[in-house]
Amino acid sequence: MSFPILSFIIFLPVAAAVFLIFVPKEKEDLLRYISLGIAIVTFLFSLSLYFNFNEQTADPQFVEKRAWLGYGIKYHVGIDGISLFLVLLTTFLMPIAILSSWRYIHKHVKEYLIFMLLLEAGIIGVFVSLNLFLFYVFWEAMLIPMYFLIGIWGGARRIYATLKFVLFTMLGSLLMLVAIFFLYSIYYKAMGVYSLDIFDYYKLILNPNIQIWLFLAFSLAFAIKVPMFPFHTWLPDAHVEAPTAGSVILAAVLLKMGTYGFLRFALPLFPDAAERFLPLLLALSLIGIIYGGLMALIQKDAKSLVAYSSVSHMGLIMLAVFSLNTEALEGAIYQMLNHGLSTGALFLIVGILYERAHTRLIKDFGGVSKQMPVFAAFFLICMLSSVGLPGLNGFIGEILCVFGVFKAHKILAILGISTVILAAGYLLWMYQRVMHGPIKNEKILSYTDMNKREIGYLLPIIVMMFWMGIYPQTFLRKMDSSVNHLIDSIKNREIVFTEARKAKNVQTESALEKAKESSKQKKESSR
């Protein structure tokens, strides 16, 4: 029996969190070192997923399947080229997030670290779950530690931000749960057995009207998490009030749960309904790009500016996702990683400034580069990464996204490129106001440059920015098989649903095969 690597990286942080309960809260440094050590070990073990990943197949790998509660509820996990890098992004950023809050968090240190470790476990579980019930458990479990991280260690309006975050997320989650149970009953009636495995549900041919309602239920949950316009209003409040590490994980990883949900569930399960709603989804994505960029331009708070930049950048990712071709989907997945690094780094940058100035208002700064030249260099690289400067990671992702969208929708691609123009506007302007010009506040003269700890947690991100910008094939080749299989699966199922509607087929595997054969014969005769 092979080593259960996925279970190990999920439950090691959970075990560490339980262990921390018994460590005296007075030993704060010991608590920090244990948490950081566990996060690093989790990352190192997760690297084996990359090095042992077979890029020639689209099938799930490192699969673990165990009986659990019965009635189709199983512990079933695995990864493919779509989820691989989202897991690695999570394990890569968690040690950085813990290190960034080393001296920033002073109250309830033990509880804070416990929630951070539990959050990591919940996020990884979402990306590796192949059973819908298990997916939902991890999806909801992730909400609990994030609720406390914002609600206890957040800013002055943390209660408002926390309640808004939870209410938005739970609304979508409950509708998704209803849709899961509905799918569950449909599968049982069609097949005579209980199942919640996603691959079994891929075999269903659903009534077009039922598809619409199920697609809307799933899509609402994922659109809120992205967040897509107009479901984005919880995000700026959550980002501004969350502690720095919470903002980093929220922007870098949690938002990707929404895009992942569309790729893994909403689009392949309900392709007929997805095709009907694509114009609306593309329009909302484009609105998000422009709206988020314009809102970022007028922000006075640096953290709020970065938060609205996420709305704009995630809009480009969703525009690519809904374009449904290889270039667009690979660009979307790559840009998910890029956004995680660049936006996560910008939140860390703002956090470093806040630790010294205890303010995030852009007008309170000016001339910071004279006192903090090393910080100015790091800030510049992170800012240019988010803008999409050639040679850095953001450029590759944006180019792939725009090429893919252009292939499917030329006008939308031309309008969508505005995300780059807007990003250059608000980020360059913020950098100029904060780092250059006259010193407006004499307190800036007392600022110290970045210390070893701050350099230590930002440097790995900078290295990854250059690596992903210079040699993207390190990542793209691992995605190819899974992305192509996903696109083929969606297109084949669209053909199947069209044939099934004409023939009034029932929801069985035999109907699926007949429809496929019919479509093949029509293609051959047309030739």
Side-chain angles (χ1 to χ4, degrees), residues 54-193:
N54 181 3
E55 60 197 50
Q56 303 301 321
T57 178
D59 295 332
Q61 301 177 43
F62 310 101
V63 174
E64 301 170 38
K65 194 172 185 178
R66 302 284 185 275
W68 187 16
L69 300 179
Y71 300 99
I73 301 174
K74 300 177 182 178
Y75 179 79
H76 187 190
V77 296
I79 60 169
D80 62 2
I82 296 172
S83 54
L84 168 65
F85 292 108
L86 295 174
V87 173
L88 291 175
L89 180 67
T90 305
T91 59
F92 173 74
L93 287 175
M94 187 54 68
I96 292 172
I98 291 174
L99 200 56
S100 71
S101 54
W102 202 264
R103 295 304 175 198
Y104 180 75
I105 299 299
H106 302 289
K107 66 175 183 178
H108 307 302
V109 174
K110 179 165 76 171
E111 291 80 2
Y112 172 84
L113 295 170
I114 287 173
F115 286 130
M116 288 293 287
L117 292 170
L118 292 176
L119 179 63
E120 180 180 23
I123 295 170
I124 295 172
V126 166
F127 292 138
V128 303
S129 295
L130 300 179
N131 183 282
L132 271 173
F133 183 83
L134 185 66
F135 169 80
Y136 185 79
V137 168
F138 281 120
W139 179 276
E140 290 295 283
M142 170 280 310
L143 185 64
I144 298 170
M146 200 67 208
Y147 170 85
F148 286 106
L149 287 170
I150 300 175
I152 297 176
W153 294 275
R157 299 175 68 246
R158 59 185 179 274
I159 302 301
Y160 169 77
T162 302
L163 290 175
K164 197 171 183 181
F165 167 68
V166 171
L167 289 175
F168 267 75
T169 304
M170 287 192 67
L171 171 63
S173 298
L174 290 174
L175 290 175
M176 181 172 65
L177 180 62
V178 172
I180 289 173
F181 281 127
F182 199 82
L183 266 176
Y184 180 71
S185 64
I186 290 175
Y187 187 87
Y188 178 74
K189 290 178 181 178
M191 303 299 184
V193 293

Side-chain angles (χ1 to χ4, degrees), residues 202-203 205 493 496 508-516:
Y202 285 165
K203 301 173 184 178
I205 301 177
R493 284 171 64 79
V496 168
T508 63
E509 181 68 18
S510 60
L512 185 65
E513 295 302 324
K514 288 179 182 179
K516 284 184 177 179

Side-chain angles (χ1 to χ4, degrees), residues 215 219 222-223 226 228-229 258-259 261-263 266-267 273-275 277-286 314-325 328-329 332 401 404-405 408-409 412 490 494:
F215 179 79
S219 295
F222 301 144
V226 169
M228 292 179 64
F229 181 91
T259 51
F262 275 107
L263 291 172
L267 295 177
E275 186 179 12
F277 284 101
L278 274 184
L280 174 62
L281 294 170
L282 289 165
L284 292 178
S285 301
L286 181 61
M314 293 302 292
L316 178 62
I317 291 172
M318 295 313 301
L319 200 65
V321 166
F322 298 131
S323 295
L324 294 177
N325 57 62
L329 288 191
C401 286
V405 176
H409 315 282
L412 289 180
I490 293 173
E494 285 176 355

Side-chain angles (χ1 to χ4, degrees), residues 15-26:
V18 174
F19 177 77
L20 289 184
I21 295 174
F22 302 99
V23 178
K25 64 181 180 180
E26 294 80 13

Side-chain angles (χ1 to χ4, degrees), residues 257-306:
M257 291 166 55
T259 51
Y260 174 77
F262 275 107
L263 291 172
R264 179 67 73 209
F265 302 103
L267 295 177
L269 279 175
F270 319 110
D272 189 72
E275 186 179 12
R276 297 187 185 191
F277 284 101
L278 274 184
L280 174 62
L281 294 170
L282 289 165
L284 292 178
S285 301
L286 181 61
I287 293 172
I289 289 172
I290 299 171
Y291 171 83
L294 293 176
M295 288 297 293
L297 278 170
I298 63 173
Q299 296 307 304
K300 299 178 181 179
D301 184 301
K303 202 173 186 184
S304 183
L305 184 151
V306 178

